[in-house]
Amino acid sequence: MSNHENPITHQPPPPRRIRVVATSPADLLALVPYLLGFHPHQSLVALGFTDDELVVATRGDLPTQDDPANAVDLLIGQMTRLVTNSRCTTVHLFGYGSPDLVEPVLRAAADGFADAGLEVIDLVRVTSDRYFSLRSPGPDEGVPFEVGSNILAAYAIAAGQVAFPDRDSLARTIEAVDGPEQQAMTRATIAAAERLNMLIATDGTAAAIRAGKHAVTEAFDRYAAGGRLDDNEMGWLTVQLINPEVREHAWLLTDDRSWHEQLWRDTTRRALLDLVAHAAALLAFTAWRRGDGVLANLAARRALDADPGNRLATLIDQVLAAGLSPATLIWPPDQPPADDTPDTSDLPDRAEPS
């Protein structure tokens, strides 16, 4: 696990809340991959409900013998904070893995959630195609279930939800482009850096900031219309995001609309390594606002791996760890987050691909 990676991934409240009528653990298990965005393995999953409405799904890696002695307590503490902050009243707990790893963690989690004032409805251990309830024991061989044939999975797919095979597969959707596309972006970014340096030298920093804000606004308009920036436009956008005033402009425009995620996902994939942190942090922000804590977590990690001091990514990482819902956000803010003075030394002379 990366030093920057938050072990909790979650699906907070709207806009991605799913209204379903689940009559069995099999129904809930069919939904889990679509709530998380991937099929969990070696995981503890909690589904939080308010009355009969599914409000939040949270997942963490099962601690192993190589983890610190307090790893289980830390995991459960983070998960209970997230569920209680989402104002849930009941919770279903699922453990994916072998009995020796899963069952002690499930029982400890049940105690932790009960201590936090939630009613624990069921504790279920899950294998690839069977589940075992610790509260209502069934057959020794478990109860068979199949995600693909469940009607609730079909509803999730129809609603646009996607379930990747595992977390790594989802992470690869925001990895850097490679091959000819990477080479084209390298050339475009170097040209954009030269253009920006010349603009600053001839017309001053204020003119460069105006051009940067215009580039951001044009990018939003392009993706709102279903379009995409070409390499030269993308290179220009990524070098402009070096300036804090331009980044603030981009941040204030970013909300939970799907094409905002598309814009910042595309920028994250195409930005060069020394410029990717700003785009990835904005992707983390819009993903969190959309209720996609999994993508927010992955994007924040991508930003912090590139720049451990990135303030927006650090903030999103802390928000995820605290289990704060996007419903708590007051937007637009009275005061944007502080940032540093622009440093054009960040501009690539010979840009390194990410």
Side-chain angles (χ1 to χ4, degrees):
M1 183 177 294
S2 164
N3 291 334
H4 298 305
E5 183 179 357
N6 190 314
I8 297 296
T9 57
H10 66 278
Q11 191 74 31
R16 297 180 66 147
R17 182 175 291 177
I18 295 177
R19 298 176 183 273
V20 299
V21 178
T23 59
S24 69
D27 287 340
L28 294 177
L29 288 170
L31 282 176
V32 165
Y34 298 95
L35 294 169
L36 298 176
F38 62 94
H39 291 264
H41 306 278
Q42 302 298 311
S43 299
L44 175 65
V45 173
L47 302 185
F49 288 75
T50 299
D51 298 324
D52 292 327
E53 184 176 2
L54 174 57
V55 176
V56 60
T58 174
R59 186 211 69 94
D61 294 332
L62 286 176
T64 67
Q65 60 183 9
D66 296 328
D67 290 313
N70 65 342
V72 172
D73 292 338
L74 292 174
L75 172 65
I76 294 168
Q78 286 183 307
M79 295 181 81
T80 54
R81 281 197 302 274
L82 192 147
V83 175
T84 54
N85 285 343
S86 298
R87 300 184 179 180
C88 297
T89 55
T90 61
V91 64
H92 293 251
L93 298 174
F94 300 93
Y96 291 74
S98 61
D100 57 321
L101 284 179
V102 167
E103 293 187 8
V105 176
L106 275 177
R107 297 187 193 282
D111 292 340
F113 278 99
D115 291 343
L118 287 99
E119 180 184 0
V120 179
I121 303 300
D122 205 357
L123 308 176
V124 177
R125 180 173 69 84
V126 188
T127 67
S128 60
D129 60 357
R130 293 179 181 272
Y131 69 85
F132 305 78
S133 173
L134 277 61
R135 287 275 177 90
S136 305
D140 291 343
E141 66 275 15
V143 179
F145 78 98
E146 185 178 351
V147 170
S149 63
N150 191 288
I151 188 63
L152 297 186
Y155 288 152
I157 294 170
Q161 304 291 85
V162 176
F164 286 88
D166 51 40
R167 195 173 188 272
D168 289 343
S169 298
L170 177 59
R172 285 193 287 272
T173 67
I174 62 169
E175 286 182 352
V177 297
D178 56 14
E181 191 172 1
Q182 181 188 74
Q183 295 167 9
M185 277 305 306
T186 299
R187 292 191 296 270
T189 305
I190 292 172
E194 293 171 350
R195 175 185 169 194
L196 180 57
N197 282 329
M198 183 165 294
L199 178 61
I200 293 171
T202 56
D203 296 340
T205 301
I209 291 172
R210 288 193 299 272
K213 290 181 177 180
H214 180 69
V216 169
T217 302
E218 279 198 332
F220 273 81
D221 290 343
R222 182 75 55 80
Y223 283 75
R228 186 172 185 254
L229 297 182
D230 65 28
D231 292 338
N232 291 328
E233 292 167 328
M234 183 60 78
W236 183 238
L237 175 64
T238 61
V239 299
Q240 288 287 0
L241 289 174
I242 292 171
N243 189 286
E245 289 189 44
V246 176
R247 283 203 302 279
E248 178 187 315
H249 180 66
W251 178 64
L252 290 172
L253 288 177
T254 299
D255 57 34
D256 59 6
R257 279 172 276 192
S258 61
W259 50 268
H260 290 196
E261 179 185 309
Q262 293 162 9
L263 164 61
W264 296 124
R265 184 193 290 268
D266 194 27
T267 309
T268 297
R269 296 195 67 238
R270 297 166 68 190
L272 304 191
L273 179 59
D274 45 0
L275 301 176
V276 72
H278 305 312
L282 288 163
L283 175 60
F285 178 65
T286 188
W288 174 69
R289 292 203 63 187
R290 284 175 55 77
D292 193 341
V294 181
L295 179 58
N297 196 343
L298 292 169
R301 183 181 67 179
R302 178 96 200 272
L304 292 170
D305 284 345
D307 176 12
N310 187 280
R311 297 187 180 189
L312 179 56
T314 299
L315 176 63
I316 296 300
D317 191 56
Q318 293 170 345
V319 162
L320 291 170
L324 295 180
S325 163
T328 63
L329 179 69
I330 298 174
W331 196 257
D334 293 329
Q335 182 64 43
D339 213 328
D340 300 323
T341 304
D343 180 2
T344 56
S345 65
D346 285 344
L347 291 172
D349 294 323
R350 209 175 46 183
E352 179 182 358
S354 57

